Amino acid sequence: MAAARSHEGPGPLRRAGRAIGRALHTPFTGTARGIRKATHAHGAGESGLGKLIELHAVNGAGDVMITVALASTVFFTVPTDEARGRVALYLAITMAPFALLAPVIGPLLDRLPHGRRAAMAASMLARAVLALTMSGAVATGGLELYPAALGVLVCSKAYGVVRSAVVPRLLPPRFSLVKANSRVTLAGLLATGAAAPVGAALQMAGPAWPLYGACAVFLGGAVLAFTLPHEVDSAKGERKARLVPPHGVAVSLASTGRTGPGRGGGKRSRWARRGERNGERRPGLRSVGPSVLNGLQANAAHRALSGFLIFFLAFLLREHPLAGQSAAVSLGIAGVAAGAGNALGTAVGSWLRSRGPEVIVVAMLALALGVAVLAALFFGTVMVAALSATAGFTLALSKLSLDAMIQRDVPEEVRASAFARSETALQMAWVVGGGIGISLPLNGVLGMSVAAGILALGAATSVRGLLSTARRGSPHPRVA
């Protein structure tokens, strides 16, 4: 009898249970398969870029959960004056380490080229531990929260530097660096948007719960980092890059001692002679001409504007909401506009690829400056939203254009190091902009005028050089 039943297959209850189980898990597995298909398309799966895209999405999800937990403690639950003091303390603690990170992280990455996967995993694991550490102090907002928050920020920025250096190693065939960075950035934005409401829901359960969620996410990220291809840890053919002023030389090769027209004539540069005295040839970023340095200056203005608007508008709109809106709605308008602009800029950058990057950077500076001037003249709901969206759009597209210049002008031997140095410099600009934002009086017209001034300074230092490079064409130097 039992044998007969065994041939009849599973009973109706078991079949129903399996059907219910498939119905419940199909939406999740289907979504996961769809995400995997998108991230691994066009050869990204074979090259390993797809896994880096997924890792960056995990990074963005974990960071936003920590942001939700800290925002509720440092910003929303205390009076405005006290909140400004806490954020000022946070930035004051942050600025000194970033001053050290700029010259340290790049050289450290150069010295540890075989440990990039381990470095990204370590940044994830460290943030998981720090999230647990903060979970005990987040409810009280004690001073012990700030060193842990500083550690999270440093680890997050260190991950960003390593990730930028890794991307060139994982490019699929016929895949531009602009397109690759667009995919990585867009994945981070989408993950941030998806994880933010999850963090808010966890916040309702208790102030420590978003940090528990971040800990779990970062632990998963630490494991995922080691699934990246071994090419990530390959340093074959790489050389160091330095941020060195060009001294008016368009195509100076510090590694070989050759100079183009400009100051120095046919003589070897002092950087080349110094390298020879040290018994080595050291290529610098001036070996690629001034376009990358000018692009970096322009991007520093955009990044400083981003930091400025985040902190200035956060306090301004909390104390003086937009006409007819609550403080929460006012902040939401600015935040959604900035996020939408950033996503649109990333998508447009992927479409434009590397077409005329110098012209694009100049156009983005002009666009952002024009909207900032209008926001100062006609401050109000529409102009705040317009400036937030424009800042997000121009920041994304200008950064992708800088990536295109690095891809085009920086030899492969020094490209990874160049990404590390440039990204660290941009993070410094963001911190400086944030410091300006929290120090200003809460006056909308004044704030928008300062925003315009930041962009005007960036335009004054970079536009002439960018247009000059665009007119004569960028050189394509090599490293001997």
Side-chain angles (χ1 to χ4, degrees):
M1 181 74 68
R5 281 197 301 268
S6 66
H7 289 290
E8 295 173 359
L13 291 179
R14 184 176 297 178
R15 289 197 298 270
R18 289 179 178 176
I20 294 172
R22 283 195 297 269
L24 290 175
H25 82 262
T26 294
F28 299 99
T29 57
T31 300
R33 283 195 296 267
I35 293 173
R36 173 60 63 95
K37 184 178 180 180
T39 58
H40 285 58
H42 304 109
E46 290 78 4
S47 71
L49 180 64
K51 289 185 177 181
L52 181 62
I53 292 172
E54 293 168 357
L55 178 63
H56 191 62
V58 170
N59 176 80
D63 276 347
V64 77
M65 287 188 179
I66 290 182
T67 300
V68 168
L70 290 179
S72 63
T73 301
V74 176
F75 185 73
F76 288 109
T77 60
V78 296
T80 298
D81 289 340
E82 185 177 348
R84 292 187 73 173
R86 290 189 179 193
V87 174
L89 176 61
Y90 176 78
L91 276 182
I93 295 173
T94 301
M95 288 180 73
F98 267 109
L100 298 175
L101 285 177
V104 169
I105 277 190
L108 180 62
L109 179 60
D110 286 330
R111 292 187 177 93
L112 299 174
H114 300 290
R116 290 172 184 150
R117 292 187 301 172
M120 287 190 284
S123 75
M124 298 280 185
L125 185 60
R127 279 179 283 174
V129 173
L130 289 169
L132 283 181
T133 302
M134 288 190 293
S135 65
V138 70
T140 61
L143 290 180
E144 65 272 18
L145 183 67
Y146 293 92
L150 169 63
V152 168
L153 182 61
V154 170
C155 290
S156 178
K157 302 310 178 186
Y159 159 84
V161 168
V162 179
R163 188 263 301 169
S164 295
V166 162
V167 170
R169 286 286 176 184
L170 300 178
L171 285 181
R174 299 179 299 278
F175 218 85
S176 73
L177 192 58
V178 175
K179 186 174 183 179
N181 278 282
S182 296
R183 284 199 179 187
V184 174
T185 303
L186 190 58
L189 290 173
L190 294 175
T192 298
V198 175
L202 291 173
Q203 180 70 29
M204 297 176 65
W209 279 97
L211 295 169
Y212 296 148
C215 178
V217 169
F218 284 131
L219 287 176
V223 174
L224 185 60
F226 284 108
T227 67
L228 293 172
H230 291 286
E231 287 83 0
V232 168
D233 290 333
S234 172
K236 183 178 179 181
E238 289 190 2
R239 302 278 291 278
K240 295 181 183 179
R242 294 187 175 188
L243 292 173
V244 181
H247 296 297
V249 182
V251 200
S252 173
L253 292 184
S255 60
T256 63
R258 294 191 296 268
T259 57
R263 200 170 85 181
K267 298 180 180 179
R268 292 173 299 170
S269 71
R270 63 188 180 92
W271 293 99
R273 294 195 299 272
R274 178 182 296 180
E276 291 177 1
R277 286 198 301 269
N278 294 337
E280 60 179 346
R281 295 177 178 179
R282 301 192 178 192
L285 281 188
R286 82 172 183 160
S287 67
V288 303
S291 62
V292 170
L293 289 177
N294 287 326
L296 184 58
Q297 291 168 339
N299 272 266
H302 286 290
R303 195 67 68 94
L305 175 67
S306 173
F308 173 80
L309 291 179
I310 286 173
F311 291 100
F312 179 76
L313 289 181
F315 289 110
L316 175 69
L317 299 181
R318 174 180 170 171
E319 193 71 11
H320 305 291
L322 298 173
Q325 308 295 337
S326 65
V329 171
S330 299
L331 289 169
I333 290 173
V336 170
N342 196 277
L344 179 60
T346 302
V348 171
S350 179
W351 173 68
L352 289 173
R353 301 190 179 182
S354 57
R355 302 172 188 171
E358 290 90 356
V359 176
I360 294 173
V361 172
V362 171
M364 292 304 99
L365 268 176
L367 175 60
L369 178 58
V371 175
V373 170
L374 290 176
L377 294 175
F378 308 102
F379 182 79
T381 304
V382 173
M383 292 313 305
V384 166
L387 181 58
S388 299
T390 302
F393 177 82
T394 56
L395 172 64
L397 198 49
S398 186
K399 178 59 169 66
L400 292 171
S401 298
L402 175 62
D403 292 343
M405 294 181 209
I406 293 176
Q407 180 196 25
R408 183 195 65 197
D409 294 346
V410 176
E412 185 179 358
E413 294 88 342
V414 296
R415 191 180 294 155
S417 180
F419 267 111
R421 309 296 177 97
S422 63
E423 184 62 27
T424 304
L426 293 179
Q427 296 298 346
M428 282 287 294
W430 184 89
V431 173
V432 172
I436 296 173
I438 65 170
S439 65
L440 284 183
L442 299 181
N443 182 288
V445 175
L446 173 63
M448 299 304 99
S449 300
V450 170
I454 292 173
L455 293 167
L457 179 62
T461 58
S462 63
V463 166
R464 182 178 178 182
L466 288 168
L467 291 178
S468 176
T469 302
R471 283 195 300 268
R472 67 171 179 262
S474 177
H476 297 273
R478 59 184 179 86
V479 174

